[in-house]
Amino acid sequence: SNEEFLVQLEKLSKATSLSGSVSLSLKRYNEGVNCFPSHKKEVIDPKQNHCLIRAVCKERKISTIVPTSEVAS
């Protein structure tokens, strides 16, 4: 869940407060749509767009999927 992701992200952040870093990445995610589409243009309803958020710290990786309507721009 998104709440669990935030809890884990806070733990990663605290663990690296003195040394180390946490890398965050955001990527558009559309479930059921080919991530590597062919030359065909796929029509995607903007209401179905999601955002994949990943955090990496050393070998620890966490991620969550959030509707784009909940992501601040």
Side-chain angles (χ1 to χ4, degrees):
S1 74
N2 295 336
E3 291 80 22
E4 181 64 25
F5 175 81
L6 292 175
V7 169
Q8 295 299 320
L9 182 61
E10 182 180 10
K11 287 180 182 179
L12 287 177
S13 178
K14 286 181 180 178
T16 60
S17 62
L18 296 177
S19 67
S21 64
V22 177
S23 298
L24 286 175
S25 64
L26 287 88
K27 180 179 180 181
R28 185 174 65 185
Y29 175 82
N30 295 306
E31 186 175 358
V33 176
N34 187 356
C35 293
F36 303 101
S38 62
H39 296 290
K40 299 177 188 175
K41 295 286 183 186
E42 296 185 44
V43 179
I44 300 170
D45 182 7
K47 294 177 184 175
Q48 294 179 345
N49 286 342
H50 288 77
C51 186
L52 173 63
I53 303 174
R54 292 181 179 144
V56 179
C57 174
K58 299 180 185 176
E59 286 104 33
R60 181 98 193 269
K61 299 176 184 178
I62 58 174
S63 63
T64 190
I65 298 172
V66 181
T68 52
S69 59
E70 295 182 18
V71 177
S73 54

